[in-house]
Amino acid sequence: MARLTAARKPPVLHRFEDGSFLSRIGTAEVRIIECEITIATTAGRTRGVYRLATTLLDHRAHPAFELVKLYHERWEVESAYFAIKKSMLGRRVLRARTMAGIAQEVYSLLTVYQVIRIAIAIATGTGTVPDADPDRASFTIALQAARDQVVQAAGVIADTVIDLVGVIGQAVLDQPMPTRGTSLHAPIRKVRIWHCGSATRSPRPRPTTARSC
């Protein structure tokens, strides 16, 4: 499945019940799904129409709305890149000047990223908050909570119980991101997404304690 440019106007060969339609690109038969995306952030809302092409032609086995959701989920990997480049590095380049140093720095970043993600997963999966949604967990909030623990030297005394996951997890649960919602309208599938985490989205407001995504 791929997104088509706005300039491409594929012909409508047959319209399906779910709003998608059969078309042809070159010699290949494809199914076109049009969806209106609404992104809501603290800076306001922006809308755009996406036109997706897929070779999955059976609209009953692969409903248009389900494919739109999968397309969005696939691109959530961009949130991971954004978290590392923007939230962790602050858009700075790596400082190392040797291959060994670069490798060490990259592995360090990935290790810290993974540890924070594990803390988020534990917090949203323990059942402390009913129906906690991992998609609403803010990596920025979790990262700042972890930094605060380091800056404040929390848990450095030998007989102190160290509960970094609890501190990070509680911060994430206390400040969830807006709920991601969806609504359907044929023939264009409208998908409203509340989510922070790309360079084009406004960052979440910083909380009052020492501190989109």
Side-chain angles (χ1 to χ4, degrees):
M1 185 162 56
R3 181 183 174 188
L4 301 180
T5 63
R8 185 182 288 273
K9 306 295 183 182
V12 180
L13 302 181
H14 176 73
R15 180 75 67 175
F16 297 114
E17 297 172 358
D18 64 352
S20 62
F21 61 88
L22 183 68
S23 186
R24 183 179 297 277
I25 298 178
T27 59
E29 278 195 340
V30 295
R31 184 162 144 240
I32 305 298
I33 302 169
E34 293 179 325
C35 55
E36 181 181 291
I37 305 295
T38 301
I39 300 176
T41 69
T42 55
R45 295 187 179 186
T46 58
R47 288 191 176 91
V49 176
Y50 281 35
R51 187 178 290 113
L52 308 177
T54 176
T55 55
L56 300 174
L57 304 182
D58 190 338
H59 69 284
R60 294 186 177 86
H62 308 286
F65 183 55
E66 294 302 319
L67 292 181
V68 170
K69 290 195 297 183
L70 286 176
Y71 179 82
H72 173 68
E73 292 292 336
R74 185 183 73 180
W75 281 102
E76 293 230 332
V77 68
E78 295 294 330
S79 297
Y81 299 146
F82 180 82
I84 294 173
K85 292 189 294 184
K86 174 61 170 62
S87 300
M88 297 178 68
L89 283 174
R91 302 191 187 279
R92 298 187 304 271
V93 298
L94 299 178
R95 294 172 293 180
R97 293 294 180 267
T98 65
M99 290 304 297
I102 291 173
Q104 182 181 38
E105 198 168 351
V106 168
Y107 278 115
S108 297
L109 285 168
L110 294 177
T111 299
V112 172
Y113 175 83
Q114 189 66 18
V115 168
I116 293 176
R117 281 298 180 191
I118 290 173
I120 292 174
I122 292 174
T124 56
T126 56
T128 304
V129 176
D131 301 322
D133 185 358
D135 284 336
R136 296 185 63 195
S138 169
F139 182 85
T140 302
I141 296 294
L143 175 63
Q144 191 58 52
R147 282 176 175 168
D148 289 344
Q149 296 305 296
V150 175
V151 172
Q152 297 166 9
V156 297
I157 302 175
D159 60 352
T160 300
V161 176
I162 301 174
D163 186 19
L164 293 182
V165 172
V167 172
I168 296 171
Q170 193 58 53
V172 168
L173 294 174
D174 288 345
Q175 302 177 71
M177 294 191 296
T179 304
R180 178 183 302 169
T182 60
S183 65
L184 307 179
H185 298 278
I188 292 182
R189 319 299 289 185
K190 294 188 178 180
V191 182
R192 293 186 173 84
I193 300 172
W194 281 260
H195 193 64
C196 299
S198 77
T200 59
R201 299 170 187 158
S202 300
R204 290 177 56 78
R206 300 169 74 87
T208 54
T209 58
R211 202 186 79 117
S212 186
C213 169

